[in-house]
């Protein structure tokens, strides 16, 4: 069944949803919109780090025929966990922790494919940055084959601090990079592990690489320097499953 985008329209209704803690992916507003009420919404979005996209009125009219007042909020398709909540879930589980962090993976199809694979490989949570990540919407849910409804997702405003917190809770950090010193199958993945995957163009940030306990690479032949990030994630995740099953 095709996923439909959830939305709220009207300035006050959107304000109330944000204040109530509802997850908003982004807000679409009519170009040139102003006024005191909209100014309050802009301030609230800035505080909560919610993106506002400006467009023509016709676009909003196509989304809803209701009295949108020039503003429509696209709601998140899922509920998010805080990092603290995710750590508590790990403590309550009898499984060896396996987490995945996506540093700058912005393509919706890649993101959905990774979530699908992660769910099948037994990942217990995925951490993404608040900004600079693929949107979690109907398309990404569909691409994940519904796995996003079952996979705990944590948004972090600072991945560096998130990794430090996880290391403090006894989780090793394995960065997957073509510049890694260790072939992926030689890394001990039976330990509690956080795998970090970077974007295909920039890779993992230097800040996060410095926190790595291991830098794993996938040996390759031919003239292509790197694999698609969803393929690389699948190789590491199922190597982890192989090691832990063995």
């Amino acid at each position: 069944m095709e996923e439909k985008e959830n939305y709220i329209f009207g300035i006050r209704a959107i304000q109330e949803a944000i204040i109530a803690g509802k997850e908003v992916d982004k807000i679409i507003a009519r170009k040139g919109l102003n006024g005191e009420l909209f100014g309050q919404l802009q301030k609230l979005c800035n505080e909560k780090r919610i993106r506002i996209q400006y467009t023509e009125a016709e676009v909003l009219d196509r989304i809803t025929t209701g009295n949108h007042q020039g503003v429509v909020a696209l709601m998140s398709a899922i509920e998010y966990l805080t990092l603290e909540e995710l750590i508590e879930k790990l403590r309550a589980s009898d499984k060896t922790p396996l987490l995945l962090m996506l540093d700058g993976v912005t393509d919706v199809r890649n993101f959905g494919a990774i979530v699908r694979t992660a769910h099948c490989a037994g990942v217990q949570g995925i951490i993404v940055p608040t900004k600079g990540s693929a949107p979690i919407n109907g398309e990404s849910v569909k691409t994940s084959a519904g796995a996003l409804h079952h996979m705990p997702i944590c948004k972090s405003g600072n991945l560096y601090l998130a990794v430090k917190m996880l290391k403090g809770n006894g989780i090793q950090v394995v960065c997957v990079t073509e510049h890694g010193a260790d072939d992926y199958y030689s890394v001990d993945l039976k330990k509690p592990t956080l795998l970090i995957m970077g974007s295909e163009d920039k890779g993992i940030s230097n800040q996060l690489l410095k926190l790595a306990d291991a830098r794993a690479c996938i040996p390759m032949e031919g003239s292509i320097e790197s694999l698609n990030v969803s393929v690389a994630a699948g190789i590491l995740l199922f190597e982890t499953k192989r090691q832990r099953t063995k």
Side-chain angles (χ1 to χ4, degrees), residues 103-206:
D103 179 19
V105 176
T106 57
D107 184 88
V108 172
R109 294 179 186 84
N110 279 339
F111 178 76
I114 290 170
V115 175
R116 181 177 184 174
T117 302
H119 178 61
C120 294
V123 169
Q124 292 146 287
I126 296 177
I127 303 156
V128 297
T130 303
K131 292 184 177 181
S133 181
I136 298 179
N137 52 25
E139 184 180 355
S140 53
V141 171
K142 185 177 180 181
T143 307
S144 76
L148 267 167
H149 289 311
H150 307 286
M151 176 62 66
I153 304 290
C154 171
K155 276 189 174 181
S156 172
N158 189 318
L159 295 185
Y160 179 82
L161 293 180
V163 174
K164 291 273 284 185
M165 182 182 290
L166 291 170
K167 282 175 72 78
N169 280 272
I171 296 176
Q172 73 164 343
V173 176
V174 178
C175 289
V176 184
T177 168
E178 62 264 34
H179 306 299
D182 306 305
D183 290 344
Y184 72 95
Y185 43 75
S186 68
V187 178
D188 184 0
L189 298 169
K190 297 186 292 296
K191 304 175 184 177
T193 298
L194 169 69
L195 289 173
I196 303 181
M197 311 294 304
S199 64
E200 291 181 53
D201 54 344
K202 296 180 181 178
I204 300 169
S205 70
N206 287 330

